[in-house]
Amino acid sequence: MKMRGLLISAFAVAIFAASGVAGYQHVRATGAGWREIAWPFPRDGWPAGRAFRCETEVCGSEVEVYLRPEIGFCNCDTGVADDDEVDRVADLDLISERFVPLREGEVIRVADMQGRLRTYDLHLTGGVRHSAIGIAVSRGCDLMVAVAQGTGAAPDVQRVALDFLASRDITRWMTKAMDGG
Amino acid sequence: MNRYVKPAAFLSAFFFLGGSAWAQSQIIQSQVIGAPPEASNMKLVGYSDLQARSAYQPTIHHQGDRWIAYVGHHGGTDEIPDPVNPMTGKAEPNGTSIIDVTDPAHPKYLRHIPGQEGKYEGGGAQMVRVCDGKQLPKGDPNAVYMLRTFGGEAHEIWNVADPVNPALITRIAGLKDTHKNWWECQTGIAFLVSGLPDWRTRRMTMIYDLSDPAHPVKIRDFGLPGQEPGATGAVPTEVHGPISAGPEGNRVYFGYGTDKGGFLQIVDRDKLLNGPKEPTPDNLRYPEISRMPMSAFNGAHTTFPMLKMPIAEFAKDKDGKDRDIVMIVDEEILNECAEPRQMVWFADVTVENRPMMISSYTAREASGGFCDRGGRFGAHSSNESMAPVFYKKMAFISYFNAGVRALDIRDPYHPTEVGYFIPAITAATDKRCVKIDGKDRCKVAIQTNNVETDERGYIYIVDRANTGLHILELTGPARAVAGLP
């Protein structure tokens, strides 16, 4: 397991170095095979979050994950109660306003916060379609939302995204962000 | 005794003995129990503690020869989920307070009607409107009807002709949320902000004919395309509340967004009520005249229309002397300035398909160190009475820890603050907290939540942090703006 992790890290470093993005503002390598990229969306009502990309060589297909806290945006008593709430809050609309859920969502726990996850077919310009995963978890009246999109099948995008969100650095960052850090 | 008094006293002593200038300013910016209110051109007339319940909408009704205040409440707090009603000796979930304010200097608490069990926005009975039975087309002329929310699960109508002994008439239940309703007393048409389980948004609008409150008739459901059942893709932001100009004005002004990505939606009332009703995207678009988007930083809590306002500056202009103005009030959500400032905006909607923001107002942070006082600082709501005493002349804006702000709006292109009143905190005032490194850091400050006026010219402000109801009047130059003696 350790050897596999080392190999993936070494591969990620190689890709990172080769991509020539080391000088990109806010960009840094993080996690096995993932690198942080600039927040790709224009300013909206919430402060920008963090964005990450995993290349095909590591994740099987190119996958991007965007995550940010939305403080004071959750029903303080019920949390993320249903799939409609994931549709509303999970930032899918930043990528495209046209998304169709593939199935009913499921309960999920991320960074010790409970919420829901739902998979989508995301319609992009030019007839391009991506798989997308919307995640919204809450603590008190605050939300942490994440979207993953990729060219692979939804189960594969979901798997690599959840592995990434479960990594120690990302979990720690999400906890700190929800703590007012 | 409030558990924040002792630390405050300790800190006061510490800084008296040589604390830094920075720290002293923090103390000056903290409210103290028993201190006089901060006021300019407004003064306190009377007070009710509202049984230390967190308060939202006040509605003042001239009922026979009496004046009755109906005050909706949020749910209870973590510390006191169900405050004791001293009139019954029982713990009761926050609901609706009924107070006789005929003598505003001596308000008399008449009755508390319990609301939905639950804390903060998860319970209570926030919203309240009142219509006389004799004004409603099919009402009992001897009845006075109070429309209120019951937490997030229902709307209720009570007969409050005898406000000491209200009687429940009707219940519209099965909802996942409710909020700021509007009820036209002359027609009975009610715009009920609700969450229907199959709609994709937490809040949309159910439109009812409540001209006979005992027999509600559903007219239609209304929302934005994308919110309706079965839609996919992005879900537009939720409605906060509408205000109707009635059949004469034939417009309904909907505010969406609360504190983010808000917009004003202008709707043709006749098309809304009589157009196709199936909630399809086309049918939902049909009555819309226009939308005016706001910055993603701001939302629309209250959209208060003031149509055909004569503008003195334009008096000699051949066209455009009178303007249709909508005052839009955002709602600050987060404590201690943790989000973009929520404030007041004035839109000129005379040309309805090209509405334009023309001015804005905010209380000055530096005038009171409000970002450091604790709790929310920013706008929340305005008075909604259209009684001639203040209509198109003055507006009153609840501003949380900056109390209520009185604006001269006779020239809506240049609104001017002419008074304010910030009540003192009491032992009942609840704390407000922010997270610092994962831990709660709490302060106690006034949280003036909502405001209403009556035809006599009294101003009623209520507190979200349990401080009660303050009845105010204007003094000095502010009184002259309203033309009061």
Side-chain angles (χ1 to χ4, degrees):
Chain A
M1 188 69 184
K2 267 186 179 173
M3 180 58 74
R4 183 167 173 258
L6 283 171
L7 283 172
I8 290 173
S9 298
F11 191 55
V13 168
I15 296 249
F16 182 72
S19 68
V21 295
Y24 205 140
Q25 197 181 2
H26 301 308
V27 174
R28 62 181 187 265
T30 180
W34 291 83
R35 64 186 171 89
E36 187 162 8
I37 59 174
W39 184 253
F41 308 112
R43 175 73 212 233
D44 66 356
W46 303 103
R50 296 181 72 185
F52 303 87
R53 179 179 296 153
C54 184
E55 303 295 346
T56 305
E57 293 81 352
V58 179
C59 288
S61 65
E62 186 174 285
V63 177
E64 289 188 353
V65 170
Y66 321 105
L67 66 161
R68 61 176 171 174
E70 295 183 353
I71 303 300
F73 198 51
C74 191
N75 185 315
C76 312
D77 297 301
T78 60
V80 182
D82 53 38
D83 287 340
D84 285 342
E85 189 142 6
V86 184
D87 292 1
R88 284 196 297 270
V89 303
D91 275 348
L92 288 145
D93 56 326
L94 294 183
I95 311 169
S96 169
E97 299 223 329
R98 294 179 301 139
F99 51 87
V100 180
L102 296 175
R103 61 186 71 89
E104 281 189 12
E106 56 191 90
V107 173
I108 192 172
R109 207 165 176 85
V110 173
D112 212 24
M113 295 176 281
Q114 186 159 309
R116 294 188 69 80
L117 169 153
R118 202 174 196 193
T119 54
Y120 301 88
D121 187 12
L122 195 61
H123 299 219
L124 305 175
T125 52
V128 176
R129 292 192 173 189
H130 279 184
S131 300
I133 315 298
I135 295 170
V137 294
S138 70
R139 192 177 66 191
C141 309
D142 304 327
L143 278 172
M144 175 63 71
V145 299
V147 187
Q149 65 157 332
T151 51
D156 298 331
V157 175
Q158 178 174 330
R159 180 178 48 77
V160 296
L162 290 181
D163 282 351
F164 175 66
L165 293 178
S167 65
R168 196 178 61 175
D169 284 355
I170 296 303
T171 300
R172 188 180 292 163
W173 177 79
M174 285 192 277
T175 302
K176 194 175 175 194
M178 297 294 275
D179 284 344
Chain B
M1 187 173 178
N2 187 300
R3 62 198 175 99
Y4 291 88
V5 173
K6 281 183 181 172
F10 170 79
L11 288 170
S12 298
F14 172 80
F15 291 122
F16 179 77
L17 293 172
S20 69
W22 176 85
Q24 285 177 9
S25 74
Q26 297 304 296
I27 288 299
I28 291 166
Q29 289 163 358
S30 299
Q31 286 195 283
V32 176
I33 292 174
E38 299 158 76
S40 168
N41 292 326
M42 298 182 84
K43 75 172 186 185
L44 182 66
V45 177
Y47 171 73
S48 168
D49 71 358
L50 300 182
Q51 302 182 348
R53 300 178 191 272
S54 170
Y56 184 75
Q57 185 69 28
T59 295
I60 319 303
H61 192 63
H62 193 188
Q63 194 161 322
D65 58 357
R66 295 199 288 176
W67 295 81
I68 307 293
Y70 298 87
V71 180
H73 292 289
H74 295 287
T77 63
D78 287 330
E79 287 81 6
I80 310 175
D82 299 328
V84 172
N85 177 353
M87 302 176 84
T88 63
K90 293 177 184 167
E92 296 175 358
N94 287 356
T96 311
S97 286
I98 304 178
I99 308 105
D100 187 328
V101 293
T102 309
D103 177 0
H106 301 95
K108 185 179 175 190
Y109 197 98
L110 300 177
R111 178 72 187 252
H112 174 251
I113 311 174
Q116 184 187 25
E117 190 79 53
K119 292 181 282 188
Y120 304 102
E121 294 220 35
Q126 297 180 44
M127 194 61 217
V128 59
R129 304 283 188 198
V130 181
C131 288
D132 285 324
K134 62 189 176 206
Q135 192 179 9
L136 288 168
K138 299 175 199 164
D140 173 354
N142 297 312
V144 176
Y145 297 103
M146 178 188 75
L147 169 69
R148 74 166 191 168
T149 54
F150 184 81
E153 70 178 50
H155 302 281
E156 295 180 338
I157 302 178
W158 293 68
N159 183 353
V160 290
D162 176 1
V164 177
N165 296 296
L168 180 63
I169 304 288
T170 304
R171 202 152 202 273
I172 300 167
L175 308 173
K176 60 184 180 186
D177 204 7
T178 62
H179 213 52
K180 198 163 82 75
N181 300 325
W182 186 260
W183 193 12
E184 297 174 356
C185 291
Q186 75 274 34
T187 66
I189 300 297
F191 303 88
L192 305 178
V193 174
S194 310
L196 278 174
D198 56 344
W199 279 62
R200 300 176 72 214
T201 182
R202 191 171 58 136
R203 292 173 184 162
M204 39 68 74
T205 305
M206 296 194 308
I207 303 172
Y208 268 80
D209 178 350
L210 298 181
S211 58
D212 176 359
H215 301 96
V217 178
K218 176 88 168 273
I219 296 175
R220 70 175 294 175
D221 298 322
F222 183 66
L224 300 173
Q227 294 177 335
E228 75 278 12
T232 59
V235 188
T237 189
E238 65 193 24
V239 69
H240 191 276
I243 295 183
S244 171
E248 307 83 17
N250 192 33
R251 293 291 180 268
V252 186
Y253 300 90
F254 288 85
Y256 292 83
T258 309
D259 72 330
K260 288 223 173 4
F263 58 86
L264 163 71
Q265 183 190 36
I266 305 175
V267 168
D268 183 309
R269 179 184 174 279
D270 182 62
K271 288 182 177 175
L272 179 65
L273 300 182
N274 300 312
K277 297 176 176 59
E278 187 68 18
T280 64
D282 282 347
N283 291 350
L284 295 175
R285 273 185 213 104
Y286 174 70
E288 178 179 294
I289 293 169
S290 65
R291 290 185 200 181
M292 187 187 65
M294 302 165 70
S295 164
F297 282 176
N298 296 104
H301 175 285
T302 305
T303 48
F304 185 68
M306 296 175 286
L307 308 182
K308 297 187 169 36
M309 275 188 84
I311 309 293
E313 174 60 29
F314 303 154
K316 293 182 180 174
D317 295 353
K318 285 194 168 59
D319 191 16
K321 294 180 177 64
D322 297 345
R323 299 295 175 100
D324 293 338
I325 303 295
V326 176
M327 180 175 69
I328 302 169
V329 186
D330 315 327
E331 176 181 355
E332 189 83 18
I333 297 283
L334 298 182
N335 294 331
E336 300 191 24
C337 301
E339 65 179 325
R341 179 77 52 83
Q342 303 301 310
M343 42 199 279
V344 185
W345 306 88
F346 292 82
D348 186 331
V349 300
T350 313
V351 182
E352 286 187 298
N353 61 359
R354 300 289 293 274
M356 186 174 87
M357 214 70 93
I358 54 169
S359 62
S360 66
Y361 161 81
T362 182
R364 299 285 168 193
E365 195 280 331
S367 69
F370 295 116
C371 283
D372 300 319
R373 284 193 182 200
R376 304 186 195 185
F377 165 61
H380 182 203
S381 62
S382 70
N383 61 304
E384 295 178 0
S385 167
M386 296 178 191
V389 62
F390 293 128
Y391 192 47
K392 302 179 186 176
K393 293 184 279 187
M394 293 196 68
F396 299 90
I397 312 296
S398 55
Y399 237 84
F400 290 116
N401 69 11
V404 64
R405 319 301 290 199
L407 307 188
D408 177 350
I409 55 162
R410 290 172 297 177
D411 176 0
Y413 280 74
H414 303 93
T416 308
E417 181 179 291
V418 292
Y420 62 84
F421 188 93
I422 309 172
I425 57 172
T426 70
T429 308
D430 194 23
K431 67 184 183 299
R432 291 292 184 266
C433 306
V434 293
K435 285 265 188 236
I436 305 287
D437 295 331
K439 296 191 176 115
D440 279 342
R441 199 259 284 121
C442 305
K443 295 181 179 179
V444 178
I446 211 74
Q447 292 285 274
T448 299
N449 205 26
N450 288 61
V451 53
E452 187 51 294
T453 54
D454 71 17
E455 290 92 325
R456 300 174 296 179
Y458 293 109
I459 303 117
Y460 302 75
I461 61 171
V462 296
D463 193 72
R464 195 180 187 102
N466 311 353
T467 314
L469 162 71
H470 296 80
I471 306 174
L472 312 172
E473 66 180 0
L474 295 175
T475 61
R479 205 168 172 81
V481 171
L484 290 166

